[in-house]
Amino acid sequence: MSSPSSLSTLAAALAEAASGEQVQSALNAAFPDGLSVPDAPAGQWESREVAAALVGAALARIEAQRESREAHLQLEPLHEETARLQERFDALFNAAPVGIAAGRRDGTLVRANDAYLHLLGFTREEFQAGAVNWVDLTPPEFAEVDRDALRRAIGEGRAVRYEKEMRHRSGERIAQEVTLLPQWEGAEAVGVAYVRDLRPERAAALGHALELRARGEELERLNAELTARSEALERFAELSRDLALERDPLVLVGRAQEIAVSLMPGSVCTYYEPQGRLWSLRSHRGEFRRPELLARLRLGLPRGESLNVDRPFETLAPYYQDAFDPATVQSAGSSISVIRTSASFPVRTGAQPRGVLVVGRHDQRAWTTAEKTLLETVVFNLQLALERAEQSGELQRRTLALERSNAELERFAFVAGHDLQEPLRSVTSFAQLLVKRFGAHQDDPRAAQYLKHIQGGTQRMQELIQELLNYARVTAETRPPTRQNTNAVTAAAVQDLRASLDAAGAVVTVFDLPPVVADSTQLRQLMQNLIGNAVKYRHADRAPVVTVTGEQRGPWVQIDVHDNGLGIAPEYHERIFTVFQRLHARDQYGGTGVGLTIARRIVERHGGQLWVSSDGVSDSTFHLTLPAAP
């Protein structure tokens, strides 16, 4: 017979049983004789029915647990695959180049990828902390746009595309294109937005618009330049139509200045050429508001200290000052401050600079492209006119040289007919006297005197003939000029004069001389004549001192031969270069009066100039120019 305690023990054992064997063991322990005993008392059937129910329930529970385990084992691969898919989706979602976010109406973001957060300037940590609210980041004027788009997306069940702006965390407004799709989480609608940054596209559109604008401005600039060029050409043609036969460069420069001043009201125009260590004002046009400024400019500007003139001459390029700096022409004094804007241009003939044209305005404003084009066109046409005049001038110079040569030939014929015959007449007369008076008596003292006169006349005749031959050879015996070492040639000339220099106690100092293009023989003769002349006409109270210096000035080399001799009065500065012209008696200073004439002819044959400067009292300087060697 089974007691209630046995049922309790059975129930506890069955609750812990995990298999049919454990159920059977617990049942055997509670009912050793089994549950079906035919002759069991009636009171025990109720206990056995309860025990049977407990056993059935335990077996059902164990079967259900087995089925659950089997079902779990079957679903576990599916769970793992689902986890892998979710992980892959998350990776693709976050790596998407387009911003993607899912949000509720109140601005809470359910999901947001890295591109979306980066677009707004937030980190993943800030998003997870709930710091990103799309409603708060939307400017108020776009709130209704968002609501309307969400209503249409939910109501129509399709994607809605629209444009809006959001604020970056820095405050910058970001233009966006939003594609909004509806998504449901239970009964709540969530909007999924695909966001594209419109800033690059709008920047490109703006760049294109700016490019079109720049092209338009460039076209306007070109049109303005063309108009300015046409105006300058027309004005130049109008003012220069009577200059076809003009040869004077300064007249051409003056006309160009008139054009510049007429096209630039309220301006003044000056033209400078290098002269020694100064910029010499050669021409000017326009009204100077301060007359003392013009007076100061006429004195010359120091080279190397006048940036406004130095720079264009050295660089061969225009130099514009939108705000003129008086310090660039400091030597002009305070009166230069009335000029507020300036433009300087090199004036060339061929490849070499000739001078500098300067335009100054009394009002300060930047030079426009059209004004620059206009002035540069004027200068360009001036250079063409100068080159034309130079070519015409070359023809004229050749004509004048021929005329001069003819005149010199006539002079030579005159000298040959008179001066050269005078020594011959002297020789003849004294010879006749010797014959008539002394005959065979050659020991008479007077015979010796007569012979002395004969010798003197003969010697003078030979000197004249030789000098005239030297003069003629300058042109007759010509060789193509070549590069010459001026220092070496001058040293050779000094050596040729060594005897006379030592006899006079002369000191000759030759500084470094730039190379020139010349005939070596004639260059040596030239330097010998000038140095020898300086020593010959020395002062009686002091030993002669001669200094030879040289400097390259553009395409030319200027050589100066300075002495401490007698000096030459201004009225004789040209006369001394005339053949056979002398300033002193023969018994004071020897020579024929041809040396300086030969020197000038040599220099002019090379295209240069020879002139003298002297105060007429204590010293003289002979200046000459020869082509500089490249």
Side-chain angles (χ1 to χ4, degrees):
M1 177 176 181
S2 177
S3 64
S5 61
S6 297
L7 289 176
S8 298
T9 301
L10 176 62
L14 291 176
E16 295 178 358
S19 63
E21 290 79 3
Q22 292 177 349
V23 170
Q24 185 64 46
S25 177
L27 180 62
N28 291 337
F31 295 93
D33 52 356
L35 293 179
S36 57
V37 179
D39 56 352
Q44 293 182 4
W45 282 105
E46 182 178 354
S47 297
R48 292 180 183 274
E49 289 178 352
V50 171
L54 290 173
V55 169
L59 291 174
R61 177 181 62 77
I62 291 171
E63 180 62 20
Q65 289 177 343
R66 184 188 65 78
E67 291 177 355
S68 175
R69 285 195 299 272
E70 290 179 355
H72 180 73
L73 291 174
Q74 292 176 354
L75 291 175
E76 186 174 356
L78 295 177
H79 287 308
E80 292 176 354
E81 182 64 20
T82 301
R84 284 195 298 271
L85 291 174
Q86 184 64 42
E87 183 178 354
R88 185 177 303 172
F89 171 79
D90 292 341
L92 292 174
F93 178 79
N94 287 324
V98 177
I100 307 174
R104 299 188 177 92
R105 296 175 186 270
D106 61 359
T108 303
L109 290 178
V110 178
R111 295 182 65 85
N113 70 349
D114 292 341
Y116 184 84
L117 296 176
H118 178 73
L119 180 64
L120 299 177
F122 290 93
T123 65
R124 173 70 51 188
E125 291 74 16
E126 289 172 325
F127 162 70
Q128 292 172 347
V132 185
N133 187 293
W134 69 268
V135 173
D136 294 341
L137 294 174
T138 300
E141 62 267 30
F142 291 98
E144 183 58 34
V145 176
D146 283 329
R147 286 192 290 269
D148 178 69
L150 187 58
R151 281 194 299 269
R152 287 191 291 126
I154 294 174
E156 299 173 9
R158 63 177 181 83
V160 176
R161 181 176 296 174
Y162 65 102
E163 292 183 4
K164 61 172 288 188
E165 289 183 4
M166 291 188 73
R167 282 191 297 269
H168 189 273
R169 71 178 304 165
S170 65
E172 177 190 359
R173 293 170 75 103
I174 303 172
Q176 303 174 343
E177 181 190 71
V178 180
T179 302
L180 186 66
L181 293 89
Q183 179 177 320
W184 295 92
E185 291 187 356
E188 183 181 10
V190 175
V192 178
Y194 294 83
V195 181
R196 184 167 65 89
D197 188 355
L198 293 179
R199 288 177 297 178
E201 182 179 307
R202 292 188 177 181
L206 177 60
H208 182 64
L210 292 175
E211 182 180 356
L212 291 177
R213 178 180 176 183
R215 289 182 179 179
E217 292 175 349
E218 177 67 10
L219 182 60
E220 291 180 2
R221 183 185 67 79
L222 292 175
N223 287 334
E225 286 187 14
L226 181 60
T227 302
R229 257 183 226 283
S230 300
E231 183 178 3
L233 290 172
E234 291 172 2
R235 191 68 60 87
F236 199 91
E238 176 185 348
L239 293 179
S240 62
R241 63 167 56 98
D242 60 335
L243 296 180
L245 301 177
E246 182 58 56
R247 300 290 180 268
D248 188 349
L250 290 182
V251 173
L252 296 173
V253 170
R255 287 301 178 89
Q257 289 177 304
E258 291 170 8
I259 296 171
V261 170
S262 66
L263 295 175
M264 301 287 167
S267 66
V268 293
C269 187
T270 52
Y271 172 71
Y272 302 88
E273 287 185 355
Q275 186 174 9
R277 293 182 171 82
L278 291 178
W279 287 110
S280 175
L281 177 62
R282 303 302 305 278
S283 178
H284 68 276
R285 294 292 188 277
E287 182 179 352
F288 286 78
R289 293 185 180 178
R290 290 189 178 180
E292 64 271 20
L293 173 58
L294 178 57
R296 179 63 190 84
L297 296 177
R298 280 177 171 155
L299 297 177
L301 301 174
R303 295 183 65 183
E305 301 177 16
S306 306
L307 179 64
N308 217 25
V309 187
D310 293 328
R311 177 173 291 183
F313 191 81
E314 295 170 356
T315 63
L316 299 181
Y319 176 48
Y320 295 95
Q321 289 194 71
D322 292 337
F324 176 70
D325 182 6
T328 59
V329 194
Q330 195 169 7
S331 61
S334 60
S335 56
I336 194 71
S337 61
V338 296
I339 302 299
R340 309 303 299 277
T341 308
S342 75
S344 309
F345 306 89
V347 177
R348 295 181 291 179
T349 50
Q352 298 299 329
R354 178 192 190 96
V356 177
L357 190 76
V358 182
V359 178
R361 293 194 302 208
H362 294 97
D363 59 326
Q364 182 175 334
R365 54 190 174 88
W367 293 102
T368 65
T369 302
E371 290 172 334
K372 292 180 180 180
T373 301
L374 188 149
L375 290 175
E376 289 171 15
T377 302
V378 169
V379 174
F380 176 76
N381 282 277
L382 169 61
Q383 292 175 158
L384 291 180
L386 289 172
E387 289 181 7
R388 181 203 66 212
E390 188 174 85
Q391 293 169 358
S392 301
E394 178 63 25
L395 178 60
Q396 187 177 23
R397 281 192 294 272
R398 291 183 180 181
T399 303
L400 292 174
L402 181 59
E403 293 174 353
R404 190 184 304 116
S405 177
N406 291 335
E408 290 169 353
L409 287 175
E410 292 176 1
R411 179 69 176 175
F412 182 84
F414 175 82
V415 170
H418 294 80
D419 291 4
L420 289 181
Q421 291 181 22
E422 186 271 333
L424 294 177
R425 284 195 297 267
S426 177
V427 172
T428 302
S429 297
F430 283 110
Q432 289 174 351
L433 286 172
L434 285 173
V435 172
K436 288 180 181 180
R437 191 154 181 188
F438 298 101
H441 303 285
Q442 297 297 323
D443 55 346
D444 192 303
R446 285 178 293 179
Q449 183 68 25
Y450 296 153
L451 289 174
K452 182 178 180 181
H453 285 296
I454 293 173
Q455 291 173 347
T458 304
Q459 183 178 356
R460 181 171 169 233
M461 180 183 64
Q462 290 175 341
E463 290 176 354
L464 286 172
I465 294 174
Q466 185 60 47
E467 290 293 345
L468 287 173
L469 288 175
N470 290 338
Y471 181 64
R473 288 193 187 102
V474 172
T475 303
E477 298 178 1
T478 59
R479 287 173 293 276
T482 57
R483 179 187 179 95
Q484 300 297 329
N485 184 331
T486 316
N487 293 311
V489 174
T490 304
V494 172
Q495 189 61 35
D496 293 340
L497 297 168
R498 178 52 56 195
S500 60
L501 296 179
D502 293 343
V507 177
V508 179
T509 304
V510 181
F511 290 89
D512 188 45
L513 304 176
V516 298
V517 176
D519 180 324
S520 61
T521 302
Q522 292 187 356
L523 178 60
R524 183 169 177 171
Q525 183 181 5
L526 169 65
M527 300 309 296
Q528 184 176 333
N529 283 2
L530 293 177
I531 297 173
N533 201 67
V535 174
K536 179 191 296 184
Y537 294 98
R538 58 185 178 273
H539 199 283
D541 298 333
R542 53 180 175 266
V545 176
V546 182
T547 304
V548 183
T549 58
E551 177 186 6
Q552 181 168 345
R553 298 177 178 181
W556 298 94
V557 169
Q558 179 170 320
I559 299 175
D560 300 328
V561 180
H562 177 80
D563 65 64
N564 64 339
L566 299 175
I568 303 171
E571 60 267 27
Y572 299 119
H573 284 184
E574 277 302 312
R575 180 179 170 183
I576 61 174
F577 295 105
T578 304
V579 65
F580 298 124
Q581 292 296 314
R582 300 173 55 88
L583 303 184
H584 306 87
R586 256 185 214 98
D587 56 353
Q588 288 181 295
Y589 298 96
T592 60
V594 183
L596 289 178
T597 308
I598 293 176
R600 172 171 276 188
R601 188 157 188 171
I602 290 174
V603 172
E604 291 180 347
R605 185 230 160 192
H606 288 81
Q609 294 179 321
L610 174 62
W611 70 100
V612 66
S613 61
S614 174
D615 58 8
V617 178
S618 60
D619 56 8
S620 303
T621 303
F622 284 84
H623 312 275
L624 66 98
T625 57
L626 292 173

